[in-house]
Amino acid sequence: MSTINKARVAWRQFQDDEEGLEAIQVVMIVAIAAIVLIAVMTLGQEVFTWLKDKWNQLKGEDIS
Amino acid sequence: MSLAIATHPTAHATTAHVATAQATTHHATTAQRKSSTCGRPRGYVTMTILSGMTLAVAWTQHALLTQTNTSAVFVGLSASELLVVVLLITASYTDMRWQKIYNWSIYPVLAWSAVIACLHSLGLHMEVGPQRLPVEVLGSLGITEFAIGTMGCGFVMLVPYRMAHGGAGDVKLAMALGGLLGFLPALVGIAFGYILAAGYVLAASLVRADLRSLIPTLARMLGHRCVHSGIAPPSPARAAALQQPIPLAGFFAMGVVISQCL
């Protein structure tokens, strides 16, 4: 079967599949990933700024 | 003779059982076919009209607000936001009722959101009588944001779909949400939806008193997938409990509402 035919069959399967169900294990795994995503989105900038400040403190001032 | 008398009712029972099973299978197949195809053209027409009506509702809101001079700027829901409401209510109902998110509820909304995005990108204003409909009444996404939202959310949702062979209805719903809300707001709404669904699963297992088996089974399954040889997989009975399906559209709806309110 050629690549185009495979793609066509895959698209047809996707198009005909109208199921709205997801397995519990998938829901739980994606929920863990979602918590990480939201935590990164809300705290990411603060963590980045804090690390940058610490790095600047660690480097100190250039006295030369 | 005694054998004949003894076997006769059994034979009748077997025949009756087979007939009942055949009838049940036939009814189930017919019902399945009916639920999957019944009202499909009518559904497309209804959803297209309903989606188109959101434009009229958005304009009416705008006209009322400007006429009554309650606010100098438009504060009502835009046509895109109204489309999200229509889509989520329809998808949640069909998902809870028939465990399906029908194409007829997704494609008309996607088409309308594409039209709205095109109008927004072209900056067209619609003249309706003395009223001038600004593009903000339609929505805030241009055609580029629409494309990024649709494709982005589709690709993100394709990962669990391909890995776990889940339902494609959820993928299409996520694509429509991405096209209406934009990539990041839709992604956050979907993420909240998954978190709410996981919370529901935990609460349900707490009620059924099998929470103590759910979390270790999930941890064992994850551990086995990550460290293949080190950790034994969960027993088939416990693994089957993790395969139980739940409808997600209602949780996506709640997630989108929460993400939009935050």
Side-chain angles (χ1 to χ4, degrees), chain A residues 22-29, chain B residues 164 201-202 205 208 210-211 213-225 233-246:
Chain A
E22 204 77 73
I24 284 176
Q25 61 180 13
V26 179
V27 171
M28 300 300 278
I29 293 167
Chain B
V201 169
L202 289 176
S205 59
R208 288 197 310 264
D210 61 353
L211 186 66
S213 69
L214 178 79
I215 292 171
T217 309
L218 187 71
R220 187 173 279 280
M221 191 267 298
L222 276 174
H224 176 69
R225 287 203 176 174
S235 66
R238 288 192 169 184
L242 286 179
Q243 293 289 339
Q244 284 177 359
I246 56 166

PDB file of all heavy atoms in Angstrom, chain A residues 22-29, chain B residues 164 201-202 205 208 210-211 213-225 233-246:
ATOM      1  N   GLU A  22     -12.369   8.349  26.719  1.00  0.00           N
ATOM      2  CA  GLU A  22     -10.932   8.198  26.954  1.00  0.00           C
ATOM      3  C   GLU A  22     -10.746   7.263  28.150  1.00  0.00           C
ATOM      4  O   GLU A  22     -11.515   7.334  29.110  1.00  0.00           O
ATOM      5  CB  GLU A  22     -10.331   9.572  27.240  1.00  0.00           C
ATOM      6  CG  GLU A  22      -8.855   9.703  26.939  1.00  0.00           C
ATOM      7  CD  GLU A  22      -8.538   9.842  25.457  1.00  0.00           C
ATOM      8  OE1 GLU A  22      -8.807  10.914  24.889  1.00  0.00           O
ATOM      9  OE2 GLU A  22      -8.027   8.885  24.876  1.00  0.00           O
ATOM     10  N   ALA A  23      -9.713   6.412  28.079  1.00  0.00           N
ATOM     11  CA  ALA A  23      -9.465   5.472  29.181  1.00  0.00           C
ATOM     12  C   ALA A  23      -8.981   6.219  30.423  1.00  0.00           C
ATOM     13  O   ALA A  23      -8.338   7.275  30.304  1.00  0.00           O
ATOM     14  CB  ALA A  23      -8.437   4.441  28.762  1.00  0.00           C
ATOM     15  N   ILE A  24      -9.284   5.655  31.592  1.00  0.00           N
ATOM     16  CA  ILE A  24      -8.936   6.305  32.859  1.00  0.00           C
ATOM     17  C   ILE A  24      -7.430   6.539  32.952  1.00  0.00           C
ATOM     18  O   ILE A  24      -6.985   7.597  33.392  1.00  0.00           O
ATOM     19  CB  ILE A  24      -9.440   5.447  34.045  1.00  0.00           C
ATOM     20  CG1 ILE A  24     -10.958   5.621  34.199  1.00  0.00           C
ATOM     21  CG2 ILE A  24      -8.744   5.811  35.349  1.00  0.00           C
ATOM     22  CD1 ILE A  24     -11.570   4.758  35.275  1.00  0.00           C
ATOM     23  N   GLN A  25      -6.631   5.543  32.510  1.00  0.00           N
ATOM     24  CA  GLN A  25      -5.173   5.682  32.632  1.00  0.00           C
ATOM     25  C   GLN A  25      -4.664   6.866  31.804  1.00  0.00           C
ATOM     26  O   GLN A  25      -3.778   7.608  32.254  1.00  0.00           O
ATOM     27  CB  GLN A  25      -4.473   4.394  32.213  1.00  0.00           C
ATOM     28  CG  GLN A  25      -4.719   3.966  30.780  1.00  0.00           C
ATOM     29  CD  GLN A  25      -3.995   2.678  30.451  1.00  0.00           C
ATOM     30  OE1 GLN A  25      -3.516   1.998  31.343  1.00  0.00           O
ATOM     31  NE2 GLN A  25      -3.921   2.344  29.180  1.00  0.00           N
ATOM     32  N   VAL A  26      -5.251   7.077  30.626  1.00  0.00           N
ATOM     33  CA  VAL A  26      -4.844   8.208  29.784  1.00  0.00           C
ATOM     34  C   VAL A  26      -5.215   9.519  30.470  1.00  0.00           C
ATOM     35  O   VAL A  26      -4.419  10.470  30.513  1.00  0.00           O
ATOM     36  CB  VAL A  26      -5.515   8.108  28.393  1.00  0.00           C
ATOM     37  CG1 VAL A  26      -5.128   9.276  27.522  1.00  0.00           C
ATOM     38  CG2 VAL A  26      -5.160   6.811  27.722  1.00  0.00           C
ATOM     39  N   VAL A  27      -6.440   9.557  31.018  1.00  0.00           N
ATOM     40  CA  VAL A  27      -6.910  10.768  31.706  1.00  0.00           C
ATOM     41  C   VAL A  27      -5.967  11.118  32.859  1.00  0.00           C
ATOM     42  O   VAL A  27      -5.564  12.283  33.023  1.00  0.00           O
ATOM     43  CB  VAL A  27      -8.356  10.572  32.216  1.00  0.00           C
ATOM     44  CG1 VAL A  27      -8.786  11.711  33.120  1.00  0.00           C
ATOM     45  CG2 VAL A  27      -9.309  10.453  31.048  1.00  0.00           C
ATOM     46  N   MET A  28      -5.580  10.107  33.639  1.00  0.00           N
ATOM     47  CA  MET A  28      -4.727  10.359  34.802  1.00  0.00           C
ATOM     48  C   MET A  28      -3.337  10.844  34.374  1.00  0.00           C
ATOM     49  O   MET A  28      -2.795  11.797  34.948  1.00  0.00           O
ATOM     50  CB  MET A  28      -4.587   9.086  35.654  1.00  0.00           C
ATOM     51  CG  MET A  28      -5.886   8.553  36.198  1.00  0.00           C
ATOM     52  SD  MET A  28      -6.764   9.691  37.247  1.00  0.00           S
ATOM     53  CE  MET A  28      -5.941   9.459  38.784  1.00  0.00           C
ATOM     54  N   ILE A  29      -2.776  10.199  33.350  1.00  0.00           N
ATOM     55  CA  ILE A  29      -1.427  10.578  32.894  1.00  0.00           C
ATOM     56  C   ILE A  29      -1.445  11.997  32.309  1.00  0.00           C
ATOM     57  O   ILE A  29      -0.586  12.823  32.625  1.00  0.00           O
ATOM     58  CB  ILE A  29      -0.894   9.551  31.859  1.00  0.00           C
ATOM     59  CG1 ILE A  29      -0.665   8.204  32.542  1.00  0.00           C
ATOM     60  CG2 ILE A  29       0.399  10.035  31.225  1.00  0.00           C
ATOM     61  CD1 ILE A  29      -0.456   7.048  31.593  1.00  0.00           C
TER      62      ILE A  29
ATOM     63  N   ALA B 164      -2.842   5.820  22.942  1.00  0.00           N
ATOM     64  CA  ALA B 164      -3.774   4.981  23.714  1.00  0.00           C
ATOM     65  C   ALA B 164      -5.020   4.601  22.924  1.00  0.00           C
ATOM     66  O   ALA B 164      -5.915   3.972  23.481  1.00  0.00           O
ATOM     67  CB  ALA B 164      -4.182   5.721  24.980  1.00  0.00           C
ATOM     68  N   VAL B 201     -12.436  10.994  38.692  1.00  0.00           N
ATOM     69  CA  VAL B 201     -12.065   9.568  38.791  1.00  0.00           C
ATOM     70  C   VAL B 201     -11.618   9.245  40.216  1.00  0.00           C
ATOM     71  O   VAL B 201     -12.024   8.221  40.788  1.00  0.00           O
ATOM     72  CB  VAL B 201     -10.944   9.235  37.779  1.00  0.00           C
ATOM     73  CG1 VAL B 201     -10.363   7.853  38.056  1.00  0.00           C
ATOM     74  CG2 VAL B 201     -11.482   9.284  36.365  1.00  0.00           C
ATOM     75  N   LEU B 202     -10.806  10.127  40.804  1.00  0.00           N
ATOM     76  CA  LEU B 202     -10.325   9.905  42.177  1.00  0.00           C
ATOM     77  C   LEU B 202     -11.497   9.921  43.164  1.00  0.00           C
ATOM     78  O   LEU B 202     -11.564   9.076  44.058  1.00  0.00           O
ATOM     79  CB  LEU B 202      -9.284  10.961  42.557  1.00  0.00           C
ATOM     80  CG  LEU B 202      -7.928  10.837  41.859  1.00  0.00           C
ATOM     81  CD1 LEU B 202      -7.025  11.997  42.249  1.00  0.00           C
ATOM     82  CD2 LEU B 202      -7.250   9.519  42.186  1.00  0.00           C
ATOM     83  N   SER B 205     -13.552   6.757  42.754  1.00  0.00           N
ATOM     84  CA  SER B 205     -12.902   5.573  43.337  1.00  0.00           C
ATOM     85  C   SER B 205     -12.869   5.669  44.859  1.00  0.00           C
ATOM     86  O   SER B 205     -12.857   4.646  45.549  1.00  0.00           O
ATOM     87  CB  SER B 205     -11.490   5.398  42.776  1.00  0.00           C
ATOM     88  OG  SER B 205     -10.729   6.528  43.058  1.00  0.00           O
ATOM     89  N   ARG B 208     -16.236   4.403  45.791  1.00  0.00           N
ATOM     90  CA  ARG B 208     -16.303   2.938  45.619  1.00  0.00           C
ATOM     91  C   ARG B 208     -15.301   2.213  46.511  1.00  0.00           C
ATOM     92  O   ARG B 208     -15.225   0.986  46.484  1.00  0.00           O
ATOM     93  CB  ARG B 208     -16.011   2.579  44.164  1.00  0.00           C
ATOM     94  CG  ARG B 208     -17.115   2.934  43.193  1.00  0.00           C
ATOM     95  CD  ARG B 208     -16.922   2.160  41.881  1.00  0.00           C
ATOM     96  NE  ARG B 208     -15.563   2.291  41.382  1.00  0.00           N
ATOM     97  CZ  ARG B 208     -15.180   3.181  40.470  1.00  0.00           C
ATOM     98  NH1 ARG B 208     -16.057   4.022  39.974  1.00  0.00           N
ATOM     99  NH2 ARG B 208     -13.937   3.242  40.065  1.00  0.00           N
ATOM    100  N   ASP B 210     -12.092   1.970  46.220  1.00  0.00           N
ATOM    101  CA  ASP B 210     -10.979   1.268  45.577  1.00  0.00           C
ATOM    102  C   ASP B 210      -9.844   2.229  45.199  1.00  0.00           C
ATOM    103  O   ASP B 210      -9.070   1.974  44.294  1.00  0.00           O
ATOM    104  CB  ASP B 210     -11.453   0.459  44.362  1.00  0.00           C
ATOM    105  CG  ASP B 210     -12.068   1.334  43.289  1.00  0.00           C
ATOM    106  OD1 ASP B 210     -12.244   2.532  43.545  1.00  0.00           O
ATOM    107  OD2 ASP B 210     -12.368   0.812  42.205  1.00  0.00           O
ATOM    108  N   LEU B 211      -9.801   3.348  45.958  1.00  0.00           N
ATOM    109  CA  LEU B 211      -8.745   4.334  45.715  1.00  0.00           C
ATOM    110  C   LEU B 211      -7.369   3.742  46.023  1.00  0.00           C
ATOM    111  O   LEU B 211      -6.389   4.050  45.354  1.00  0.00           O
ATOM    112  CB  LEU B 211      -8.991   5.587  46.574  1.00  0.00           C
ATOM    113  CG  LEU B 211      -8.064   6.770  46.339  1.00  0.00           C
ATOM    114  CD1 LEU B 211      -8.262   7.349  44.957  1.00  0.00           C
ATOM    115  CD2 LEU B 211      -8.298   7.853  47.364  1.00  0.00           C
ATOM    116  N   SER B 213      -6.370   0.881  45.521  1.00  0.00           N
ATOM    117  CA  SER B 213      -5.844   0.012  44.460  1.00  0.00           C
ATOM    118  C   SER B 213      -5.592   0.793  43.175  1.00  0.00           C
ATOM    119  O   SER B 213      -4.742   0.416  42.372  1.00  0.00           O
ATOM    120  CB  SER B 213      -6.800  -1.146  44.185  1.00  0.00           C
ATOM    121  OG  SER B 213      -7.974  -0.666  43.577  1.00  0.00           O
ATOM    122  N   LEU B 214      -6.332   1.918  42.988  1.00  0.00           N
ATOM    123  CA  LEU B 214      -6.206   2.681  41.735  1.00  0.00           C
ATOM    124  C   LEU B 214      -4.824   3.318  41.610  1.00  0.00           C
ATOM    125  O   LEU B 214      -4.150   3.173  40.583  1.00  0.00           O
ATOM    126  CB  LEU B 214      -7.291   3.768  41.674  1.00  0.00           C
ATOM    127  CG  LEU B 214      -7.238   4.663  40.445  1.00  0.00           C
ATOM    128  CD1 LEU B 214      -7.832   3.976  39.231  1.00  0.00           C
ATOM    129  CD2 LEU B 214      -7.939   5.981  40.687  1.00  0.00           C
ATOM    130  N   ILE B 215      -4.400   4.027  42.669  1.00  0.00           N
ATOM    131  CA  ILE B 215      -3.139   4.772  42.588  1.00  0.00           C
ATOM    132  C   ILE B 215      -1.927   3.823  42.479  1.00  0.00           C
ATOM    133  O   ILE B 215      -1.088   4.029  41.599  1.00  0.00           O
ATOM    134  CB  ILE B 215      -3.028   5.764  43.765  1.00  0.00           C
ATOM    135  CG1 ILE B 215      -4.099   6.853  43.577  1.00  0.00           C
ATOM    136  CG2 ILE B 215      -1.647   6.394  43.841  1.00  0.00           C
ATOM    137  CD1 ILE B 215      -4.271   7.774  44.732  1.00  0.00           C
ATOM    138  N   PRO B 216      -1.836   2.762  43.308  1.00  0.00           N
ATOM    139  CA  PRO B 216      -0.704   1.845  43.115  1.00  0.00           C
ATOM    140  C   PRO B 216      -0.707   1.174  41.738  1.00  0.00           C
ATOM    141  O   PRO B 216       0.348   0.977  41.145  1.00  0.00           O
ATOM    142  CB  PRO B 216      -0.894   0.807  44.222  1.00  0.00           C
ATOM    143  CG  PRO B 216      -1.701   1.479  45.251  1.00  0.00           C
ATOM    144  CD  PRO B 216      -2.600   2.396  44.512  1.00  0.00           C
ATOM    145  N   THR B 217      -1.907   0.850  41.230  1.00  0.00           N
ATOM    146  CA  THR B 217      -1.980   0.218  39.905  1.00  0.00           C
ATOM    147  C   THR B 217      -1.472   1.172  38.830  1.00  0.00           C
ATOM    148  O   THR B 217      -0.707   0.778  37.947  1.00  0.00           O
ATOM    149  CB  THR B 217      -3.441  -0.195  39.574  1.00  0.00           C
ATOM    150  OG1 THR B 217      -3.948  -0.954  40.664  1.00  0.00           O
ATOM    151  CG2 THR B 217      -3.519  -1.000  38.315  1.00  0.00           C
ATOM    152  N   LEU B 218      -1.885   2.452  38.942  1.00  0.00           N
ATOM    153  CA  LEU B 218      -1.437   3.455  37.977  1.00  0.00           C
ATOM    154  C   LEU B 218       0.080   3.636  38.077  1.00  0.00           C
ATOM    155  O   LEU B 218       0.774   3.696  37.045  1.00  0.00           O
ATOM    156  CB  LEU B 218      -2.150   4.787  38.260  1.00  0.00           C
ATOM    157  CG  LEU B 218      -1.925   5.887  37.238  1.00  0.00           C
ATOM    158  CD1 LEU B 218      -2.637   5.567  35.931  1.00  0.00           C
ATOM    159  CD2 LEU B 218      -2.413   7.219  37.768  1.00  0.00           C
ATOM    160  N   ALA B 219       0.596   3.712  39.323  1.00  0.00           N
ATOM    161  CA  ALA B 219       2.036   3.883  39.533  1.00  0.00           C
ATOM    162  C   ALA B 219       2.810   2.681  38.984  1.00  0.00           C
ATOM    163  O   ALA B 219       3.851   2.837  38.337  1.00  0.00           O
ATOM    164  CB  ALA B 219       2.317   4.055  41.025  1.00  0.00           C
ATOM    165  N   ARG B 220       2.262   1.493  39.202  1.00  0.00           N
ATOM    166  CA  ARG B 220       2.921   0.276  38.713  1.00  0.00           C
ATOM    167  C   ARG B 220       2.928   0.244  37.187  1.00  0.00           C
ATOM    168  O   ARG B 220       3.930  -0.111  36.569  1.00  0.00           O
ATOM    169  CB  ARG B 220       2.191  -0.954  39.267  1.00  0.00           C
ATOM    170  CG  ARG B 220       2.864  -2.273  38.970  1.00  0.00           C
ATOM    171  CD  ARG B 220       2.160  -3.392  39.701  1.00  0.00           C
ATOM    172  NE  ARG B 220       2.565  -3.487  41.081  1.00  0.00           N
ATOM    173  CZ  ARG B 220       3.683  -4.076  41.505  1.00  0.00           C
ATOM    174  NH1 ARG B 220       4.518  -4.615  40.634  1.00  0.00           N
ATOM    175  NH2 ARG B 220       3.978  -4.137  42.780  1.00  0.00           N
ATOM    176  N   MET B 221       1.800   0.650  36.596  1.00  0.00           N
ATOM    177  CA  MET B 221       1.701   0.654  35.135  1.00  0.00           C
ATOM    178  C   MET B 221       2.681   1.661  34.529  1.00  0.00           C
ATOM    179  O   MET B 221       3.394   1.359  33.566  1.00  0.00           O
ATOM    180  CB  MET B 221       0.250   1.001  34.748  1.00  0.00           C
ATOM    181  CG  MET B 221      -0.118   0.806  33.295  1.00  0.00           C
ATOM    182  SD  MET B 221       0.090   2.257  32.319  1.00  0.00           S
ATOM    183  CE  MET B 221      -1.038   3.377  33.088  1.00  0.00           C
ATOM    184  N   LEU B 222       2.754   2.858  35.147  1.00  0.00           N
ATOM    185  CA  LEU B 222       3.685   3.886  34.666  1.00  0.00           C
ATOM    186  C   LEU B 222       5.129   3.420  34.842  1.00  0.00           C
ATOM    187  O   LEU B 222       5.950   3.595  33.941  1.00  0.00           O
ATOM    188  CB  LEU B 222       3.462   5.191  35.439  1.00  0.00           C
ATOM    189  CG  LEU B 222       2.361   6.109  34.934  1.00  0.00           C
ATOM    190  CD1 LEU B 222       2.181   7.276  35.891  1.00  0.00           C
ATOM    191  CD2 LEU B 222       2.711   6.636  33.551  1.00  0.00           C
ATOM    192  N   GLY B 223       5.408   2.853  36.015  1.00  0.00           N
ATOM    193  CA  GLY B 223       6.751   2.359  36.307  1.00  0.00           C
ATOM    194  C   GLY B 223       7.163   1.272  35.341  1.00  0.00           C
ATOM    195  O   GLY B 223       8.290   1.262  34.851  1.00  0.00           O
ATOM    196  N   HIS B 224       6.231   0.383  35.028  1.00  0.00           N
ATOM    197  CA  HIS B 224       6.539  -0.712  34.099  1.00  0.00           C
ATOM    198  C   HIS B 224       6.828  -0.173  32.702  1.00  0.00           C
ATOM    199  O   HIS B 224       7.698  -0.685  31.995  1.00  0.00           O
ATOM    200  CB  HIS B 224       5.362  -1.692  34.059  1.00  0.00           C
ATOM    201  CG  HIS B 224       5.549  -2.786  33.056  1.00  0.00           C
ATOM    202  ND1 HIS B 224       6.500  -3.771  33.229  1.00  0.00           N
ATOM    203  CD2 HIS B 224       4.942  -3.042  31.870  1.00  0.00           C
ATOM    204  CE1 HIS B 224       6.444  -4.597  32.182  1.00  0.00           C
ATOM    205  NE2 HIS B 224       5.514  -4.170  31.353  1.00  0.00           N
ATOM    206  N   ARG B 225       6.112   0.885  32.318  1.00  0.00           N
ATOM    207  CA  ARG B 225       6.331   1.448  30.978  1.00  0.00           C
ATOM    208  C   ARG B 225       7.658   2.199  30.907  1.00  0.00           C
ATOM    209  O   ARG B 225       8.323   2.202  29.877  1.00  0.00           O
ATOM    210  CB  ARG B 225       5.191   2.394  30.609  1.00  0.00           C
ATOM    211  CG  ARG B 225       3.939   1.621  30.289  1.00  0.00           C
ATOM    212  CD  ARG B 225       2.995   2.376  29.415  1.00  0.00           C
ATOM    213  NE  ARG B 225       1.862   1.543  29.060  1.00  0.00           N
ATOM    214  CZ  ARG B 225       0.812   1.969  28.393  1.00  0.00           C
ATOM    215  NH1 ARG B 225       0.750   3.221  28.036  1.00  0.00           N
ATOM    216  NH2 ARG B 225      -0.173   1.169  28.098  1.00  0.00           N
ATOM    217  N   PRO B 233       4.323  -5.558  35.675  1.00  0.00           N
ATOM    218  CA  PRO B 233       3.085  -4.858  35.299  1.00  0.00           C
ATOM    219  C   PRO B 233       1.949  -5.219  36.257  1.00  0.00           C
ATOM    220  O   PRO B 233       2.015  -6.242  36.934  1.00  0.00           O
ATOM    221  CB  PRO B 233       2.800  -5.396  33.890  1.00  0.00           C
ATOM    222  CG  PRO B 233       3.464  -6.719  33.851  1.00  0.00           C
ATOM    223  CD  PRO B 233       4.674  -6.614  34.719  1.00  0.00           C
ATOM    224  N   PRO B 234       0.907  -4.378  36.328  1.00  0.00           N
ATOM    225  CA  PRO B 234      -0.232  -4.720  37.193  1.00  0.00           C
ATOM    226  C   PRO B 234      -0.967  -5.962  36.665  1.00  0.00           C
ATOM    227  O   PRO B 234      -0.853  -6.292  35.485  1.00  0.00           O
ATOM    228  CB  PRO B 234      -1.127  -3.480  37.136  1.00  0.00           C
ATOM    229  CG  PRO B 234      -0.737  -2.767  35.904  1.00  0.00           C
ATOM    230  CD  PRO B 234       0.686  -3.087  35.647  1.00  0.00           C
ATOM    231  N   SER B 235      -1.729  -6.593  37.554  1.00  0.00           N
ATOM    232  CA  SER B 235      -2.466  -7.793  37.150  1.00  0.00           C
ATOM    233  C   SER B 235      -3.510  -7.423  36.088  1.00  0.00           C
ATOM    234  O   SER B 235      -3.964  -6.268  36.050  1.00  0.00           O
ATOM    235  CB  SER B 235      -3.161  -8.403  38.366  1.00  0.00           C
ATOM    236  OG  SER B 235      -4.157  -7.518  38.827  1.00  0.00           O
ATOM    237  N   PRO B 236      -3.884  -8.366  35.218  1.00  0.00           N
ATOM    238  CA  PRO B 236      -4.850  -8.047  34.155  1.00  0.00           C
ATOM    239  C   PRO B 236      -6.157  -7.458  34.673  1.00  0.00           C
ATOM    240  O   PRO B 236      -6.729  -6.564  34.042  1.00  0.00           O
ATOM    241  CB  PRO B 236      -5.090  -9.403  33.483  1.00  0.00           C
ATOM    242  CG  PRO B 236      -3.874 -10.200  33.774  1.00  0.00           C
ATOM    243  CD  PRO B 236      -3.381  -9.751  35.106  1.00  0.00           C
ATOM    244  N   ALA B 237      -6.615  -7.945  35.831  1.00  0.00           N
ATOM    245  CA  ALA B 237      -7.886  -7.445  36.383  1.00  0.00           C
ATOM    246  C   ALA B 237      -7.751  -5.969  36.769  1.00  0.00           C
ATOM    247  O   ALA B 237      -8.643  -5.158  36.491  1.00  0.00           O
ATOM    248  CB  ALA B 237      -8.280  -8.265  37.593  1.00  0.00           C
ATOM    249  N   ARG B 238      -6.620  -5.647  37.400  1.00  0.00           N
ATOM    250  CA  ARG B 238      -6.411  -4.245  37.807  1.00  0.00           C
ATOM    251  C   ARG B 238      -6.121  -3.354  36.602  1.00  0.00           C
ATOM    252  O   ARG B 238      -6.529  -2.192  36.580  1.00  0.00           O
ATOM    253  CB  ARG B 238      -5.266  -4.176  38.812  1.00  0.00           C
ATOM    254  CG  ARG B 238      -5.677  -4.745  40.158  1.00  0.00           C
ATOM    255  CD  ARG B 238      -4.682  -4.429  41.216  1.00  0.00           C
ATOM    256  NE  ARG B 238      -5.212  -4.747  42.526  1.00  0.00           N
ATOM    257  CZ  ARG B 238      -4.577  -4.507  43.655  1.00  0.00           C
ATOM    258  NH1 ARG B 238      -3.386  -3.944  43.645  1.00  0.00           N
ATOM    259  NH2 ARG B 238      -5.123  -4.807  44.811  1.00  0.00           N
ATOM    260  N   ALA B 239      -5.394  -3.916  35.614  1.00  0.00           N
ATOM    261  CA  ALA B 239      -5.119  -3.145  34.396  1.00  0.00           C
ATOM    262  C   ALA B 239      -6.418  -2.859  33.650  1.00  0.00           C
ATOM    263  O   ALA B 239      -6.565  -1.781  33.065  1.00  0.00           O
ATOM    264  CB  ALA B 239      -4.151  -3.903  33.509  1.00  0.00           C
ATOM    265  N   ALA B 240      -7.352  -3.814  33.691  1.00  0.00           N
ATOM    266  CA  ALA B 240      -8.650  -3.623  33.023  1.00  0.00           C
ATOM    267  C   ALA B 240      -9.435  -2.487  33.668  1.00  0.00           C
ATOM    268  O   ALA B 240     -10.168  -1.762  32.982  1.00  0.00           O
ATOM    269  CB  ALA B 240      -9.447  -4.913  33.068  1.00  0.00           C
ATOM    270  N   ALA B 241      -9.252  -2.316  34.985  1.00  0.00           N
ATOM    271  CA  ALA B 241      -9.956  -1.224  35.680  1.00  0.00           C
ATOM    272  C   ALA B 241      -9.466   0.135  35.182  1.00  0.00           C
ATOM    273  O   ALA B 241     -10.234   1.106  35.135  1.00  0.00           O
ATOM    274  CB  ALA B 241      -9.740  -1.345  37.181  1.00  0.00           C
ATOM    275  N   LEU B 242      -8.186   0.191  34.795  1.00  0.00           N
ATOM    276  CA  LEU B 242      -7.637   1.456  34.276  1.00  0.00           C
ATOM    277  C   LEU B 242      -8.060   1.730  32.832  1.00  0.00           C
ATOM    278  O   LEU B 242      -7.883   2.827  32.328  1.00  0.00           O
ATOM    279  CB  LEU B 242      -6.110   1.438  34.344  1.00  0.00           C
ATOM    280  CG  LEU B 242      -5.469   1.605  35.715  1.00  0.00           C
ATOM    281  CD1 LEU B 242      -3.962   1.528  35.601  1.00  0.00           C
ATOM    282  CD2 LEU B 242      -5.846   2.945  36.324  1.00  0.00           C
ATOM    283  N   GLN B 243      -8.569   0.691  32.169  1.00  0.00           N
ATOM    284  CA  GLN B 243      -8.993   0.850  30.773  1.00  0.00           C
ATOM    285  C   GLN B 243     -10.437   1.318  30.659  1.00  0.00           C
ATOM    286  O   GLN B 243     -10.923   1.532  29.555  1.00  0.00           O
ATOM    287  CB  GLN B 243      -8.852  -0.489  30.029  1.00  0.00           C
ATOM    288  CG  GLN B 243      -7.422  -0.960  29.858  1.00  0.00           C
ATOM    289  CD  GLN B 243      -6.644  -0.130  28.866  1.00  0.00           C
ATOM    290  OE1 GLN B 243      -7.228   0.541  28.023  1.00  0.00           O
ATOM    291  NE2 GLN B 243      -5.332  -0.147  28.983  1.00  0.00           N
ATOM    292  N   GLN B 244     -11.123   1.448  31.796  1.00  0.00           N
ATOM    293  CA  GLN B 244     -12.529   1.878  31.743  1.00  0.00           C
ATOM    294  C   GLN B 244     -12.630   3.266  31.112  1.00  0.00           C
ATOM    295  O   GLN B 244     -11.887   4.168  31.513  1.00  0.00           O
ATOM    296  CB  GLN B 244     -13.119   1.917  33.153  1.00  0.00           C
ATOM    297  CG  GLN B 244     -13.447   0.551  33.702  1.00  0.00           C
ATOM    298  CD  GLN B 244     -13.956   0.615  35.124  1.00  0.00           C
ATOM    299  OE1 GLN B 244     -14.036   1.683  35.703  1.00  0.00           O
ATOM    300  NE2 GLN B 244     -14.275  -0.528  35.674  1.00  0.00           N
ATOM    301  N   PRO B 245     -13.534   3.449  30.145  1.00  0.00           N
ATOM    302  CA  PRO B 245     -13.624   4.749  29.474  1.00  0.00           C
ATOM    303  C   PRO B 245     -14.534   5.740  30.198  1.00  0.00           C
ATOM    304  O   PRO B 245     -15.506   5.333  30.850  1.00  0.00           O
ATOM    305  CB  PRO B 245     -14.192   4.383  28.110  1.00  0.00           C
ATOM    306  CG  PRO B 245     -14.992   3.162  28.343  1.00  0.00           C
ATOM    307  CD  PRO B 245     -14.434   2.454  29.544  1.00  0.00           C
ATOM    308  N   ILE B 246     -14.184   7.019  30.102  1.00  0.00           N
ATOM    309  CA  ILE B 246     -15.084   8.055  30.629  1.00  0.00           C
ATOM    310  C   ILE B 246     -15.273   9.144  29.564  1.00  0.00           C
ATOM    311  O   ILE B 246     -14.345   9.444  28.813  1.00  0.00           O
ATOM    312  CB  ILE B 246     -14.585   8.701  31.949  1.00  0.00           C
ATOM    313  CG1 ILE B 246     -13.183   9.289  31.806  1.00  0.00           C
ATOM    314  CG2 ILE B 246     -14.618   7.720  33.086  1.00  0.00           C
ATOM    315  CD1 ILE B 246     -12.828  10.204  32.963  1.00  0.00           C
TER     316      ILE B 246
END
